[in-house]
Amino acid sequence: MSETNDAPLQCLIIGSGPAGLSAALYAARANLAPIVLSGMDLGGQVANTDAIENYPGFPEGIEGPDLVDLFQKQAERFGAEVVFDSATGVDFSERPFKITTYAGEYLAETVIVTTGASPRLLDVPGEKELTGRGVSYCATCDGHFFQEQDVIVVGGGDSAVKEALFLTRFANSVTIIHRRDKLRAGILLETRAKENPKVKFIWDSVVTEIIGEDAVRAVRLKNKKTGEETEHPTDGVFVFIGHIPNTELFEGQLDMNEQGYLISDRHMRTSIPGVYAAGEVTDDHFQQIVISAGMGAAAAMEAVEFLEEN
Ligand code: NAP
């Protein structure tokens, strides 16, 4: 760890998802000896994903944790160091930049922000109280608790449908509750879901309350077209309604758009020279592992160039 009186690091990477670990690989191969702050979850969202079928080079697909492991090993092979710690504060007002963590403090000449995004919450009564007691945001983590049970999945995008299909491995039935009458998910996933006898759909409906005392018992639904309210019994509620970027730490220091995503240009430069942003923390559109990895590599290449010029 680099105390404030040590020589500053050449490159510090905040976050350890595909963007962070790809940035680490490229920075390490350029001899920057980068340190990666892992955050609470090494690997980020990918670590909680099962079969990934669209990352090139794995024609049979690969499990998320296995992909993270390979990313990490490859970056470490060239001298990157992954530290199990999280940034708690940053000061980008002058170089070297100062990054405070739970364990101490780092000085760094360049910083690559790859803090990703977290699941968006439903924000309805019962959700907070019953999280971990039937409400979940991670099918890979919690699916096995619902053997032979009936669960619902909220959302209509790729995540909702993909995770609903995963949950059919355990549950008796998986009901997808979507607020419209048409999925946002891609056609391949939609077809798989519609062909799976365990998957059911409730259209045009939103969850207005999650009901249960010690465990989830039901959800209250409201039909958006008719206004009708019903109670739908269920053992589990899996929420996949998009993400919010993890950018609280950078408020007032880096420019963000209205949704809170960091603004970066095609060179991954943020509003502060020497600070780069890559992956889902700055990508409100694609949100794909391969694209995040590419952005991380680009950010590291730019950091190398910046250090040469400054
Ligand atoms: P998303 O594409 O933004 O979809 C979010 C879904 O949640 C939408 O169907 C949205 O409804 C619904 N929603 C949003 N807020 C809601 C609320 N408050 N109450 C109820 N429903 C709400 O997010 P995502 O599915 O997490 O996917 C994110 C990105 O990752 C996408 O680019 C996706 O393609 C990608 N992805 C790809 C794969 C893959 O296997 N290829 C897997 C996972 C994710 P509306 O449709 O009405 O807006």
Side-chain angles (χ1 to χ4, degrees):
M1 130 139 259
S2 166
E3 298 297 338
T4 38
N5 51 346
D6 285 345
L9 300 171
Q10 295 283 288
C11 181
L12 180 80
I13 298 164
I14 310 178
S16 62
L21 292 175
S22 301
L25 171 64
Y26 273 68
R29 283 174 60 83
N31 278 340
L32 300 191
I35 284 190
V36 181
L37 299 178
S38 68
M40 299 300 275
D41 298 309
L42 174 65
Q45 296 177 71
V46 180
N48 292 330
T49 306
D50 71 312
I52 294 161
E53 295 180 336
N54 55 7
Y55 192 76
F58 299 92
E60 306 303 324
I62 180 163
E63 297 292 310
D66 295 341
L67 186 59
V68 170
D69 197 40
L70 291 174
F71 279 160
Q72 183 183 352
K73 280 196 179 116
Q74 196 172 355
E76 285 175 343
R77 184 180 149 212
F78 295 101
E81 187 187 346
V82 177
V83 176
F84 290 88
D85 198 0
S86 299
T88 53
V90 295
D91 181 355
F92 293 151
S93 60
E94 59 178 353
R95 277 182 59 225
F97 306 117
K98 194 190 287 184
I99 296 87
T100 315
T101 71
Y102 287 114
E105 198 167 79
Y106 292 87
L107 292 176
E109 294 293 352
T110 63
V111 172
I112 302 177
V113 177
T114 59
T115 46
S118 297
R120 175 177 285 129
L121 307 190
L122 279 170
D123 200 17
V124 298
E127 182 179 27
K128 279 212 176 81
E129 297 82 342
L130 292 164
T131 293
R133 288 189 277 164
V135 176
S136 171
Y137 306 87
C138 177
T140 312
C141 321
D142 299 326
H144 63 278
F145 293 124
F146 296 89
Q147 308 278 355
E148 311 289 315
Q149 299 193 1
D150 300 305
V151 300
I152 67 159
V153 162
V154 189
D158 282 324
S159 299
V161 178
K162 185 172 188 286
E163 301 305 326
L165 285 165
F166 176 75
L167 287 166
T168 61
R169 297 185 194 189
F170 315 100
N172 256 343
S173 75
V174 181
T175 304
I176 296 178
I177 316 267
H178 184 33
R179 63 184 179 183
R180 294 187 293 134
D181 60 2
K182 195 175 177 308
L183 291 175
R184 180 178 293 279
I187 187 70
L188 189 67
L189 282 168
E190 175 170 351
T191 307
R192 281 189 199 164
K194 287 187 170 162
E195 284 174 354
N196 189 314
K198 282 188 173 182
V199 178
K200 306 174 196 326
F201 293 89
I202 296 180
W203 302 105
D204 297 315
S205 297
V206 288
V207 172
T208 56
E209 186 184 352
I210 301 174
I211 303 164
E213 283 74 48
D214 294 331
V216 168
R217 181 170 56 76
V219 286
R220 194 174 311 285
L221 300 180
K222 183 173 183 179
N223 185 299
K224 289 187 74 184
K225 284 190 174 152
T226 63
E228 188 193 357
E229 292 204 28
T230 50
E231 206 174 289
H232 178 89
T234 187
D235 301 306
V237 178
F238 285 83
V239 182
F240 300 106
I241 58 169
H243 298 92
I244 44 172
N246 297 321
T247 53
E248 224 171 287
L249 201 58
F250 311 105
E251 269 168 25
Q253 305 217 40
L254 299 177
D255 288 353
M256 302 177 191
N257 70 12
E258 274 177 8
Q259 287 79 43
Y261 286 87
L262 295 185
I263 296 174
S264 62
D265 65 12
R266 58 193 290 271
H267 292 261
M268 306 299 130
R269 292 179 291 219
T270 66
S271 46
I272 302 277
V275 179
Y276 301 85
E280 292 195 15
V281 73
T282 185
D283 172 16
D284 58 1
H285 183 66
F286 293 111
Q287 302 175 326
Q288 299 295 307
I289 301 169
V290 64
I291 290 174
S292 291
M295 291 168 95
M301 290 172 77
E302 289 294 326
V304 171
E305 205 163 301
F306 176 86
L307 288 165
E308 278 167 5
E309 284 169 5
N310 292 272

